[in-house]
Amino acid sequence: MTTTASHPTAEVELAIGGMTCASCAARIEKKLNRMDGVTATVNYATEKAKVSYGEEVSVQDLIATVEATGYTAQEPAPPVRDAQDAQDTPGSTGGHDELRPLRERLITAVTLAVPVVAMAMIPALQFEYWQWLSLTLAAPVVTYAAWPFHRAAFTNLRHGAATMDTLISVGTSAAFLWSLWALFLGTAGEPGMTHPFELTIARGDGSGNIYLEAAAGVVAFILAGRYFEARSKRKAGAALKALLELGAKDVTVLGAHGDERTIPVSELKVGDRFVVRPGEKIATDGTVVEGSSAVDASMLTGESVPVEVARGDAVTGATLNAGGRLVVEATRIGADTQLARMARLVEDAQNGKAAAQRLADRISAVFVPVVIALALGTLGFWLGNGAGPAAAFTAGVAVLIIACPCALGLATPTALMVGTGRGAQLGILIKGPEVLESTREVDTIVLDKTGTVTTGRMRLLAVHTADNAEEAEVLRLAGALEHASEHPIARAVADGALEKLGSLPTPEDFANVPGLGVQGVVDGHAVLVGRERLLEDWAMALPAPLAHAKSEAEAAGRTAIAVAWDGEARAVLEVADAVKETSPEAIRRLRGLGLTPILLTGDNRAVAESVAREVGIAPENVIAEVLPQDKADVVKRLQAEGRSVAMVGDGVNDAAALAQADLGLAMGTGTDAAIEAGDLTLVRGDLRVAADAIRLSRKTLGTIRSNLFWAFAYNVAALPLAAAGLLNPMIAGAAMAFSSVFVVGNSLRLRSFRAAD
């Protein structure tokens, strides 16, 4: 029999429901990939499946396969036009709190489990009928609150699989059912029954023992871990939303007779002409047909210097008009715009990132079947040796109870909660346990330049004067004229002058010369400030010293501004995006962690190498003049070389690269899109915090690993005693409590983490 390979001809992204752990995603992926002509990647974190399929397979076939595996799948919802539509769209999260059912179960479990555990562990609280109150309180916890575990265990059973949910369900059910048997058919229901602390090991029939505190406590602990994990997962798609919200919401369209009307951006068509006033966002990609201005594209391109545009120049949607009035003709709308393409890049990077399987699930994949087999073997062994059904069943149930993953369930969430809490105090936001695993292997850190290594704001860095001018006079006249302009470079000059002089005169006359600079009258002097060509238009030339200063400034990647008044060139000002004072120290600390820093920017190479020299990055580790959509490709290329890559950025242009990197660190002073695409957020915008974030993440991961080791070791040590029927219930309870206390105590040590001095 010969089969012909089918080449995928279409792609679809399915929303997957019902997954409870990373092994669920692996199972769905395996089933989909078994279909002819299908290549699928299932991401547990984003709850999506990206599927490529051939002509012989339909989307409904894919959905049917997922549903046959025991999960739900649905096609993506149609794009919504605005926030109101999002609220009204079925299945959207606009007005629906997806965490509410889980939160309600958690509150129920904690409220009812605390008194159950307290009564079982403190003999002074064991009044005459305390065991019946424990049953009343524990029943809703083991049934209603634990229902997601029971449902998942049943689904896994149907498909011959076992996960942590299986162990939780079987263990808590066994503890609860045995307690019911002991209360109603044994001696545990008798008035005055107590759980004394007896540090003896003796075989018994278990008819006087109840395990309600184990059942209720485990459910509460595990639900707490699931809730905090779900909160971080919920934000997985927020990067796309943040990207799309950057665009303008409304646009002023020009009619055939020059009349203006405001419409939603979603109604804009290719060929429409629209007005962009100073301070407004450009509604969509287009071509300037009237006017000239400076456009601040830094959030999209990373270019620190605003771009001068005039008639015939292309402009990009969501960038900011920082200067004059523009009339733009729309050339791309909707899904074809650069902003929308960036959103797709972020989405592809998120879905393509391998879902880090939780450590507890890895352990449970082997541990759960072994424990269940051991419990059944224990039951059979004692029945075969004539110990009697009660004693045999007691030993079998003891195996399940002692193996119930109380400490295992606490290992990750407690360390994560303490670690993330300490991180928040230090300005570091960690998004989930998967992030921590990435920090361990990272060996290369890619740094965006603008807003990350540098301030992201233009600053006046130097003043070069001719022999016939004083610096203070240059700043007074040039600063006064630039103060009347809204151009970002003009603002840098004005702010620098104000910082040194304290106040500036008001120009008597002012005019903007599009693309060249400004001119006007200040204190009776005719002043020109701008490009050298502006002076040449007035038949003025820079003297040799100033021409040399201008050439050196431009060679260093800085913007040189000429200043003249009363017919003579008097000065050259240097303006640039200044390096943050903390950046050189940050680079040193990152190297100390074994990381190779690489500078990545959309700026020209001269600017990039100048910044690299200042902070201590080698020239061969500078990647400049990179287009926004290519930043993620640079990260992919480094990963293809075998490197594990961390990325630090702050702009929309960094969002896809942050999502593509093995570890994304977003500067909290940046855009929402970058913050949501990153794995770690550095609230203060200080690059030194990046080194602290990696140190804290590695320390938190180490704590989780040690927690899992000790929790697992406790189970391994106690299981033989349980199987031998020698486990006194109070010793079991005390040992389980000690194991949990140890895990919590170990996690609390993270509170002592300190930022590097």
Side-chain angles (χ1 to χ4, degrees):
M1 179 177 176
T2 304
T3 58
T4 303
S6 172
H7 297 286
T9 59
E11 281 192 355
V12 68
E13 188 176 81
L14 300 176
I16 307 295
M19 293 191 294
T20 59
C21 62
S23 56
C24 297
R27 195 173 307 123
I28 298 168
E29 190 172 296
K30 188 176 180 182
K31 289 282 188 180
L32 287 172
N33 284 322
R34 282 180 177 172
M35 299 175 70
D36 289 338
V38 172
T39 304
T41 302
V42 180
N43 192 325
Y44 168 59
T46 58
E47 297 181 329
K48 290 179 180 178
K50 187 174 183 181
V51 189
S52 301
Y53 58 98
E55 294 177 356
E56 68 278 9
V57 178
S58 69
V59 174
Q60 290 306 315
D61 293 334
L62 300 173
I63 292 174
T65 299
V66 174
E67 290 177 344
T69 313
Y71 305 90
T72 63
Q74 59 183 27
E75 292 184 73
V80 293
R81 288 190 172 183
D82 52 36
Q84 185 58 45
D85 288 347
Q87 294 278 352
D88 300 336
T89 302
S92 74
T93 58
H96 175 62
D97 184 1
E98 294 174 335
L99 295 181
R100 184 177 176 183
L102 183 55
R103 185 166 54 245
E104 288 174 348
R105 293 182 196 276
L106 173 60
I107 292 170
T108 301
V110 171
T111 304
L112 299 180
V114 168
V116 173
V117 174
M119 284 188 289
M121 294 299 166
I122 305 173
L125 298 179
Q126 295 172 6
F127 56 91
E128 191 171 5
Y129 291 103
W130 71 274
Q131 68 270 45
W132 296 102
L133 177 60
S134 290
L135 175 63
T136 305
L137 296 174
V141 179
V142 179
T143 52
Y144 163 71
W147 176 244
F149 305 130
H150 302 319
R151 182 177 56 207
F154 178 70
T155 300
N156 292 327
L157 179 64
R158 282 170 47 205
H159 299 281
T163 64
M164 183 70 86
D165 290 317
T166 308
L167 193 52
I168 295 167
S169 177
V170 172
T172 54
S173 298
F176 185 71
L177 292 172
W178 181 258
S179 299
L180 287 179
W181 182 89
L183 285 169
F184 287 99
L185 301 176
T187 59
E190 295 177 357
M193 186 278 284
T194 60
H195 267 184
F197 280 99
E198 295 176 356
L199 299 177
T200 58
I201 298 177
R203 188 175 295 134
D205 65 4
S207 62
N209 302 325
I210 59 174
Y211 303 99
L212 295 171
E213 76 285 354
V218 166
V219 170
F221 282 132
I222 304 297
L223 278 175
R226 290 282 171 90
Y227 176 72
F228 288 109
E229 181 187 33
R231 279 183 61 184
S232 64
K233 277 175 54 183
R234 189 183 186 190
K235 296 182 179 179
L240 302 178
K241 183 181 177 185
L243 270 173
L244 296 173
E245 285 181 349
L246 280 172
K249 303 295 185 293
D250 299 310
V251 57
T252 303
V253 178
L254 280 178
H257 304 291
D259 53 307
E260 297 182 3
R261 61 191 179 92
T262 301
I263 62 171
V265 168
S266 57
E267 296 179 12
L268 197 63
K269 300 180 183 65
V270 172
D272 283 350
R273 296 190 172 190
F274 58 92
V275 178
V276 189
R277 296 181 176 83
E280 291 182 346
K281 288 180 180 177
I282 296 172
T284 193
D285 297 359
T287 304
V288 177
V289 293
E290 184 182 317
S292 62
S293 181
V295 174
D296 181 0
S298 59
M299 65 180 180
L300 277 174
T301 65
E303 188 76 36
S304 53
V305 180
V307 180
E308 301 284 350
V309 296
R311 183 180 178 128
D313 290 335
V315 290
T316 305
T319 54
L320 187 68
N321 179 14
R325 178 181 182 272
L326 295 175
V327 176
V328 179
E329 183 175 310
T331 56
R332 287 195 294 260
I333 59 170
D336 295 327
T337 64
Q338 185 172 345
L339 185 65
R341 289 202 301 272
M342 282 186 165
R344 285 198 295 275
L345 282 172
V346 173
E347 190 167 23
D348 289 345
Q350 283 185 338
N351 289 336
K353 185 186 292 185
Q357 195 166 349
R358 294 181 308 173
L359 295 174
D361 278 321
R362 293 177 189 170
I363 292 171
S364 67
V366 177
F367 188 54
V368 175
V370 169
V371 167
I372 293 174
L374 184 59
L376 293 173
T378 300
L379 176 65
F381 175 80
W382 289 114
L383 284 173
N385 279 273
F393 195 68
T394 298
V397 170
V399 169
L400 289 174
I401 292 170
I402 202 65
C404 202
C406 183
L408 272 176
L410 282 171
T412 296
T414 53
L416 189 65
M417 281 187 278
V418 178
T420 54
R422 181 60 185 145
Q425 292 175 335
L426 298 173
I428 303 163
L429 304 182
I430 303 171
K431 291 196 175 175
E434 293 88 353
V435 173
L436 305 177
E437 293 188 78
S438 303
T439 64
R440 188 167 51 100
E441 303 295 338
V442 164
D443 54 30
T444 301
I445 185 161
V446 177
L447 307 168
D448 169 56
K449 180 184 74 68
T450 307
T452 302
V453 177
T454 65
T455 61
R457 299 186 306 276
M458 304 298 287
R459 288 182 58 190
L460 178 62
L461 298 182
V463 179
H464 304 277
T465 60
D467 294 337
N468 58 350
E470 296 291 332
E471 181 177 324
E473 188 176 17
V474 170
L475 290 175
R476 187 171 61 84
L477 298 178
L481 203 58
E482 295 282 51
H483 198 264
S485 172
E486 292 300 319
H487 195 289
I489 292 178
R491 299 304 309 165
V493 174
D495 290 345
L498 278 170
E499 188 178 325
K500 290 193 175 182
L501 303 179
S503 63
L504 295 171
T506 302
E508 298 153 32
D509 185 29
F510 171 84
N512 180 54
V513 183
L516 295 179
V518 292
Q519 62 187 43
V521 178
V522 181
D523 288 348
H525 299 285
V527 184
L528 300 173
V529 183
R531 296 187 178 184
E532 187 178 5
R533 210 175 87 204
L534 177 63
L535 274 62
E536 290 171 352
D537 288 348
W538 287 82
M540 284 182 258
L542 290 175
L546 293 183
H548 179 69
K550 173 179 177 291
S551 298
E552 283 196 335
E554 290 174 343
R558 298 177 177 178
T559 300
I561 304 166
V563 181
W565 67 83
D566 296 342
E568 288 186 56
R570 312 275 183 157
V572 166
L573 310 179
E574 288 188 35
V575 173
D577 180 10
V579 170
K580 293 178 181 177
E581 293 179 2
T582 58
S583 291
E585 172 64 16
I587 300 301
R588 187 185 67 77
R589 292 184 186 179
L590 290 169
R591 278 210 179 89
L593 291 170
L595 305 178
T596 301
I598 292 178
L599 189 68
L600 178 67
T601 180
D603 262 351
N604 64 65
R605 177 156 288 278
V607 173
E609 290 186 349
S610 173
V611 170
R613 279 194 303 273
E614 195 168 342
V615 299
I617 295 177
E620 61 269 20
N621 289 333
V622 175
I623 303 174
E625 300 174 15
V626 178
L627 295 174
Q629 59 268 32
D630 294 336
K631 285 194 173 184
D633 291 334
V634 170
V635 174
K636 286 181 188 175
R637 189 172 74 242
L638 291 169
Q639 289 169 329
E641 294 172 3
R643 304 194 197 197
S644 182
V645 181
M647 168 78 190
V648 188
D650 74 324
V652 175
N653 60 309
D654 302 318
L658 285 167
Q660 174 63 42
D662 299 288
L663 179 69
L665 297 94
M667 305 297 276
T669 49
T671 62
D672 288 344
I675 291 170
E676 295 300 344
D679 301 309
L680 293 164
T681 300
L682 314 178
V683 175
R684 297 204 305 270
D686 183 343
L687 191 56
R688 290 178 301 180
V689 182
D692 290 331
I694 292 173
R695 282 178 50 239
L696 175 61
S697 296
R698 287 178 176 176
K699 194 174 180 72
T700 305
L701 177 63
T703 301
I704 290 174
R705 287 176 173 275
S706 63
N707 282 351
L708 288 169
F709 170 78
W710 287 110
F712 186 62
Y714 149 77
N715 281 313
V716 169
L719 276 173
L721 291 176
L726 298 173
L727 199 63
N728 179 284
M730 289 316 297
I731 292 179
M736 187 178 288
F738 174 77
S739 175
S740 300
V741 168
F742 176 85
V743 164
V744 173
N746 193 37
S747 299
L748 288 174
R749 293 190 307 119
L750 289 167
R751 295 171 63 182
S752 63
F753 179 87
R754 296 283 182 270
D757 294 328

